[in-house]
């Protein structure tokens, strides 16, 4: 198990219990985290699961793959800390992860 | 297969079946209808057949098509196109069906956004998640400029002559239009979030040559704000690594791919449940007799949005469509393996 905190643009927080092996997107969808739309169901084909990884967690989540970088072109307000959360696999190491939900998905 | 391009507007095409959409389910419907001697016209707003498979995930693998352990979205589309070849369907691409109305003689009159009209006995809606439409960047107030200063596609290049153009994006559309519009523009800037492009390498190379020659500008950054009055754009704010820059432009072309929107289907007078069309599970007919709905667009108890379910729906739909189109003909249930008449239709020798 890993606890993941989603911070909304208005500052409100939601902590989600994620199972190892799930993706961060799946964990968010199961708990109906607002702002994670995930239209393509995790196929890295829609960019509507865009999040910002909080300071201190970027090394653990790693960098986006080339395919994910290409898909990030379709996200709005992309930053260095941007990831598509369907491409982040939950591991024990990610227990405590904090991500920010962007103000707008495309 | 017939691909219809420049046809004079206003002409009415009379046919037995029109299929709205050319996604995988619509393509297989051509097959099932074809086995029953029914030829189809297909209309899709995309510039190619294959629906979601071809537009959203051409390179990605699908693992749950019966008999094909793994097949990509594009491969499945190509195979379906090959499978329906004997039935010579007519494709009307880059057209969106806007209106359906009942004709005096009981047939349906369909009208597309470019004015093509169809008179048909049966309509099959295979519209999936709706019409593919360009994505609108979520920038405040952008709607006010659409059609005047903001354009999501290019229909007539002349409109862009002597304009100060900003093109946003890093795919083929953005690069192709950069190369085509630069010669007639007053100034042209291409804006992309990173100095890496998904577009074909040779167009990227050409673009870089134009930048080096001083014919255009390449900016790395993101659009954040639009400024103007009365629908006329005067400048935009671009966020770059160095900070913000205000760029004077009067024309903006954002290319951020396509998304599915229900579109005109909502206005056709059919029953809808949360943007889906309820059907029965015997014939997959809608609240309007002779109008069927198959694939992702329909809903019924237990519905799964899977390609294989859509294929099954298409087979049962075709049986009922046959009754409407050939009311006096009896249908004999046959296998393609053993029926010489079916094999003849398929061109098997
Ligand atoms: C990333 C991803 C992965 C997927 N993986 C699988 C998988 O592994 N297995 C599986 O079974 N399914 C999968 N799916 C779902 C599958 O792609 C859909 O179920 C399938 O495409 C539905 O086919 P369809 O023919 O009903 O509609 P679509 O493929 O949605 O095609 C509908 C077409 O109709 C057109 N259209 C709509 N309205 C109009 C109009 N008014 N005028 C003109 N044209 C119109 C649209 O432009 C579109 O091209 C996946 C989907 C995605 C996005
Ligand atoms: S869910 Fe579509 S890219 Fe992540």
């Amino acid at each position: 198990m890993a606890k993941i905190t989603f911070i909304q643009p208005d500052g409100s927080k939601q902590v989600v219990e994620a199972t190892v092996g799930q993706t961060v997107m799946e964990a968010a969808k199961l708990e109906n985290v607002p702002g994670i739309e995930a239209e393509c169901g995790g196929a890295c084909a829609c960019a509507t699961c865009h999040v910002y990884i909080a300071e201190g967690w970027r090394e653990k989540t790693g960098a986006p793959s080339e395919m994910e970088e290409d898909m990030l072109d379709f996200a709005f307000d992309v930053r260095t800390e941007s990831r598509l959360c369907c491409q982040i696999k939950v591991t024990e190491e990610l227990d405590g992860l904090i991500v920010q939900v962007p103000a707008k998905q495309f | 297969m017939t691909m219809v391009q420049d046809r004079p507007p206003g002409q009415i095409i009379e046919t037995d079946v029109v299929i709205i959409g050319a996604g995988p389910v619509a393509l297989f419907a051509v097959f099932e209808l074809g086995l029953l001697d029914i030829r189809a016209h297909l209309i899709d707003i995309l510039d190619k057949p294959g629906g979601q498979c071809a537009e959203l995930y051409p390179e990605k693998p699908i693992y749950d098509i019966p008999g094909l352990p793994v097949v990509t979205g594009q491969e499945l589309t190509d195979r379906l196109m090959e499978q329906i070849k004997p039935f010579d369907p007519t494709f009307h691409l880059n057209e969106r069906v806007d209106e359906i109305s009942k004709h005096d003689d009981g047939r349906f009159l369909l009208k597309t956004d470019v004015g093509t009209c169809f008179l048909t006995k049966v309509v099959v809606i295979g519209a999936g998640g709706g019409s593919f439409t360009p994505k609108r960047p979520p920038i405040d107030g952008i709607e006010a400029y659409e059609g005047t200063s903001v354009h999501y596609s290019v229909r007539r290049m002349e409109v862009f002559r002597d304009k100060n153009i900003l093109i946003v994006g890093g795919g083929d559309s953005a690069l192709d239009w950069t190369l085509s519009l630069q010669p007639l523009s007053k100034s042209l800037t291409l804006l992309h979030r990173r100095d890496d492009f998904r577009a074909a390498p040779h167009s990227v190379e050409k673009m870089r040559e134009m930048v080096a020659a001083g014919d255009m500008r390449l900016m790395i950054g993101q659009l954040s704000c639009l400024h103007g009055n009365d629908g006329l754009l005067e400048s935009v704010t671009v966020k770059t690594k160095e900070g913000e820059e205000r760029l004077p432009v009067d024309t903006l072309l954002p290319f951020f791919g396509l998304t599915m929107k229900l579109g005109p289907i909502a206005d056709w007078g059919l029953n809808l449940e949360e943007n889906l069309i309820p059907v029965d599970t015997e014939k997959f007919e809608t609240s309007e007799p002779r109008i069927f709905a198959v694939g992702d667009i329909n809903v019924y108890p237990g519905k799964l949005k899977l390609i294989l379910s859509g294929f099954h729906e298409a087979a049962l739909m075709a049986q009922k469509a046959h009754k409407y189109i050939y009311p006096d003909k009896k249908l004999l249930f046959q296998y393609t393996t053993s029926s010489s008449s079916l094999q003849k239709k398929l061109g098997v020798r």
Side-chain angles (χ1 to χ4, degrees):
Chain A
M1 286 300 232
K3 279 195 170 50
I4 302 174
T5 305
F6 291 86
I7 306 179
Q8 293 295 326
D10 66 3
S12 62
K13 289 181 185 165
Q14 184 175 351
V15 182
V16 166
E17 292 268 359
T19 315
V20 170
Q22 268 178 340
T23 66
V24 173
M25 179 279 281
E26 287 164 344
K29 286 299 276 185
L30 283 172
E31 296 295 329
N32 298 312
V33 173
I36 305 294
E37 291 170 17
E39 274 170 19
C40 78
C44 199
C46 74
T48 61
C49 62
H50 177 206
V51 295
Y52 305 118
I53 308 294
E55 276 290 344
W57 285 97
R58 275 167 233 157
E59 252 125 71
K60 288 197 179 118
T61 52
S65 66
E66 197 181 324
M67 175 177 73
E68 187 181 335
E69 276 290 357
D70 281 354
M71 212 54 222
L72 274 167
D73 284 352
F74 296 101
F76 190 69
D77 195 7
V78 180
R79 306 175 192 162
T80 41
E81 61 268 31
S82 285
R83 287 292 311 266
L84 296 176
C85 67
C86 71
Q87 300 301 304
I88 308 173
K89 271 256 181 327
V90 176
T91 57
E92 293 290 355
E93 262 214 302
L94 291 187
D95 187 22
L97 174 68
I98 302 169
V99 305
Q100 176 112 35
V101 180
K104 291 165 187 165
Q105 301 281 7
F106 230 105
Chain B
M1 182 191 64
T2 316
M3 291 280 178
V4 175
Q5 254 112 31
D6 303 308
R7 188 182 344 82
Q11 179 199 343
I12 293 192
I13 298 165
E14 295 193 39
T15 177
D16 287 334
V17 174
V18 171
I19 305 179
I20 301 171
V25 176
L27 296 180
F28 195 66
V30 170
F31 184 84
E32 290 294 333
L33 290 164
L35 287 180
L36 308 183
D37 299 314
I38 304 167
R39 217 184 139 254
H41 284 257
L42 298 92
I43 308 165
D44 202 304
I45 185 73
L46 284 184
D47 60 359
K48 54 182 174 287
Q52 294 176 44
C53 299
E55 178 60 32
L56 297 179
Y57 59 104
E59 314 281 333
K60 299 212 163 84
I62 311 173
Y63 299 100
D64 58 352
I65 303 298
L68 295 175
V70 53
V71 64
T72 67
Q74 189 56 49
E75 277 166 6
L76 178 65
T77 303
D78 294 344
R79 284 174 175 233
L80 284 164
M81 290 297 282
E82 190 189 329
Q83 195 167 21
I84 65 178
K85 226 189 212 154
F87 302 118
D88 192 30
T90 307
F91 285 85
H92 307 262
L93 299 174
N94 297 307
E95 286 189 50
R96 189 184 63 223
V97 181
D98 278 349
E99 294 167 30
I100 301 188
S101 55
K102 257 288 198 21
H103 196 62
D104 301 338
D105 62 4
R107 286 185 293 174
F108 297 100
L109 183 67
L110 271 67
K111 219 171 161 179
T112 72
D113 60 338
V114 297
T116 317
C117 291
F118 297 83
L119 254 183
T120 181
K121 292 177 186 154
V122 164
V123 175
V124 178
I125 305 177
S131 302
F132 272 105
T133 32
K135 283 196 197 171
R136 162 194 285 163
I139 297 174
D140 288 334
I142 192 165
E143 294 93 334
Y145 300 102
E146 287 171 357
T148 46
S149 297
V150 174
H151 306 269
Y152 299 103
S153 61
V154 178
R155 288 228 160 168
R156 278 182 45 241
M157 290 201 357
E158 256 327 290
V159 174
F160 300 96
R161 184 172 292 281
D162 296 327
K163 299 284 186 193
N164 294 305
I165 304 175
L166 176 66
I167 294 182
V168 192
D172 283 317
S173 306
L175 270 287
D176 290 351
W177 287 118
T178 294
L179 302 184
S180 309
L181 293 178
Q182 188 280 329
L184 44 104
S185 69
K186 192 160 167 199
S187 75
L188 188 142
T189 305
L190 174 65
L191 173 67
H192 186 43
R193 73 169 185 96
R194 56 184 177 137
D195 199 8
D196 238 324
F197 294 83
R198 303 183 313 282
H202 65 268
S203 14
V204 177
E205 208 172 293
K206 265 221 185 104
M207 178 272 294
R208 292 201 194 278
E209 280 168 19
M210 278 163 46
V211 173
D215 295 332
M216 60 164 285
R217 180 172 176 201
L218 169 64
M219 262 182 107
I220 306 303
Q222 292 176 84
L223 202 56
S224 72
C225 211
L226 308 184
H227 315 274
N229 279 307
D230 298 327
L232 296 178
L233 193 64
E234 285 158 13
S235 64
V236 301
T237 304
V238 174
K239 262 198 229 161
T240 67
K241 268 212 179 97
E242 288 77 40
E244 290 195 340
E245 182 176 335
R246 191 124 161 192
L247 197 69
V249 293
D250 48 39
T251 303
L252 171 64
L253 289 157
F255 292 108
F256 286 99
L258 303 177
T259 185
M260 296 189 104
K261 289 252 165 68
L262 184 64
I265 297 173
D267 310 321
W268 295 346
L270 298 168
N271 286 347
L272 286 182
E273 264 173 34
E274 293 185 20
N275 285 348
L276 298 169
I277 305 175
V279 290
D280 65 74
T281 49
E282 181 193 342
K283 317 174 288 316
F284 301 92
E285 204 164 9
T286 67
S287 55
E288 177 71 39
R290 293 169 181 262
I291 300 186
F292 298 86
V294 292
D296 277 14
I297 190 72
N298 76 14
V299 66
Y300 51 83
K303 167 73 183 183
L304 284 180
K305 284 191 188 181
L306 286 178
I307 296 165
L308 95 105
S309 309
F311 288 173
H312 160 79
E313 295 160 14
L316 296 203
M317 170 281 293
Q319 298 286 314
K320 181 66 181 183
H322 183 269
K323 288 210 176 78
Y324 285 133
I325 291 159
Y326 302 113
D328 304 326
K329 273 200 210 165
K330 269 239 161 69
L331 247 191
L332 185 67
F333 176 76
Q334 299 180 98
Y335 291 123
T336 53
T337 313
S338 44
S339 156
S340 53
S341 89
L342 290 186
Q343 291 183 2
K344 204 168 140 210
K345 293 176 201 178
L346 288 165
V348 179
R349 268 176 249 195

